[in-house]
Amino acid sequence: MSRSIIRVESLHKSYVNGSNSLHVLKGVDMDIREGEMVSIMGSSGSGKSTLLNILGILDNYDEGAYYLDEKHIGKMNETKAARFRNRYIGFIFQSFNLISFKNAMENVALPLYYQGVNRKKRNLIALDYLERLGLREWAHHLPSELSGGQKQRVAIARALISNPKVILADEPTGALDSQTSLEVMEILKEVNESGISIIIVTHENDIAARTQRIIRLRDGLIESNEVNHAFELESVKVN
Ligand code: ADP
Ligand code: MG
């Protein structure tokens, strides 16, 4: 059995605003193995983004434990959190989160800028990733000149450039039409086949159907966690 890339045990998280406290995660247990492509489903407000933000070390949890690549992730300062994120994690968001005044190449190169890679080198590497995603000709275009699907491919290239072990995608197809959504899922499948683990938050059944395992969150707990046999059969057919 492959090693665990992301494991949480009895994870709790509340948001506190003054005297109000909202208990969002109420003891979540989850184990994602290296190389898996998993979806997390649940209705709006069920805590999907909260969970993903904790997995991405963008937010702290209150109780329980989180292990990333078997390393315990507790409370840490922003410098250390950023180092873990850089080394392990690529993010993809529903709204792409591209910088509007930077072109596609510069957006893709951004993680390398934070790693101190010089401009010439990081732009060359960014062009290579854009090429792989079929966007070489769009390198010098601003996000506003790209379609939704192209923007998400730029975001995927940016997530890949730091060579992450895990991609965390929060509703990556939520702003795309169904045809473009399937294209993005095809790309993510190829990314996964290159060995990168992927967790996709979605509330769309046909997106979850394209992952190997479907985890359902409800009222702050894992309601179900099932291997997607339809996906396995599909893979067998194709191969
Ligand atoms: P989902 O992604 O499944 O729609 P979220 O994790 O975004 O759900 O939110 C879960 C609950 O926590 C919601 O009720 C939401 O309003 C609340 N929430 C999310 N973020 C915050 C925050 N920063 N402060 C207070 N409440 C929050
Ligand atoms: Mg959300």
Side-chain angles (χ1 to χ4, degrees):
M1 183 99 187
S2 56
R3 64 196 262 123
S4 161
I5 187 71
I6 277 182
R7 187 166 87 249
V8 298
E9 291 168 355
S10 305
L11 200 74
H12 284 260
K13 171 74 180 176
S14 296
Y15 291 111
V16 181
N17 279 314
S19 58
N20 292 325
S21 174
L22 183 66
H23 198 176
V24 178
L25 303 180
K26 302 176 182 170
V28 170
D29 293 295
M30 200 171 78
D31 187 359
I32 313 288
R33 317 302 293 189
E34 196 162 43
E36 273 198 298
M37 179 157 169
V38 172
S39 53
I40 299 178
M41 298 197 78
S43 53
S44 177
S46 60
K48 304 183 297 296
S49 295
T50 298
L51 177 59
L52 211 66
N53 288 344
I54 291 170
L55 301 182
I57 327 181
L58 294 168
D59 203 355
N60 289 313
Y61 55 93
D62 301 324
E63 274 174 54
Y66 171 25
Y67 299 89
L68 172 60
D69 200 29
E70 310 279 13
K71 290 166 198 67
H72 181 253
I73 305 293
K75 273 215 168 70
M76 52 176 74
N77 63 35
E78 179 46 34
T79 312
K80 195 170 173 205
R83 210 179 313 134
F84 266 97
R85 283 198 298 269
N86 257 324
R87 172 143 177 231
Y88 286 101
I89 295 166
F91 288 98
I92 304 171
F93 302 94
Q94 174 172 357
S95 50
F96 321 120
N97 288 18
L98 301 177
I99 296 177
S100 61
F101 55 87
K102 293 198 177 290
N103 68 32
M105 175 186 72
E106 292 162 339
N107 267 285
V108 173
L110 203 62
L112 298 184
Y113 165 80
Y114 288 116
Q115 289 174 26
V117 178
N118 74 53
R119 183 197 304 265
K120 194 172 170 199
K121 188 168 176 200
R122 67 177 187 257
N123 284 347
L124 271 175
I125 299 171
L127 287 175
D128 183 37
Y129 276 89
L130 282 173
E131 169 99 51
R132 290 189 214 179
L133 285 152
L135 286 172
R136 178 64 186 78
E137 293 91 276
W138 295 88
H140 299 283
H141 287 255
L142 293 174
S144 59
E145 298 166 325
L146 305 177
S147 69
Q150 289 173 326
K151 280 188 252 201
Q152 200 57 301
R153 274 145 69 198
V154 170
I156 293 170
R158 180 185 56 187
L160 290 174
I161 202 168
S162 50
N163 211 2
K165 288 197 162 223
V166 195
I167 298 251
L168 302 177
D170 197 349
E171 313 228 17
T173 62
L176 305 175
D177 63 65
S178 50
Q179 179 57 37
T180 310
S181 295
L182 296 186
E183 286 165 19
V184 164
M185 287 306 290
E186 263 318 298
I187 293 168
L188 291 179
K189 188 167 174 238
E190 284 169 25
V191 167
N192 174 247
E193 283 162 357
S194 79
I196 299 175
S197 313
I198 302 187
I199 302 179
I200 300 174
V201 160
T202 182
H203 55 250
E204 296 166 82
N205 283 310
D206 53 341
I207 296 302
R210 285 173 167 75
T211 65
Q212 298 160 0
R213 191 146 66 93
I214 306 175
I215 296 171
R216 286 193 171 78
L217 256 187
R218 187 189 166 93
D219 295 333
L221 286 167
I222 303 283
E223 178 186 43
S224 65
N225 179 351
E226 286 165 350
V227 171
N228 178 14
H229 293 290
F231 176 94
E232 309 259 293
L233 285 176
E234 192 61 33
S235 302
V236 171
K237 252 189 280 170
V238 172
N239 297 333

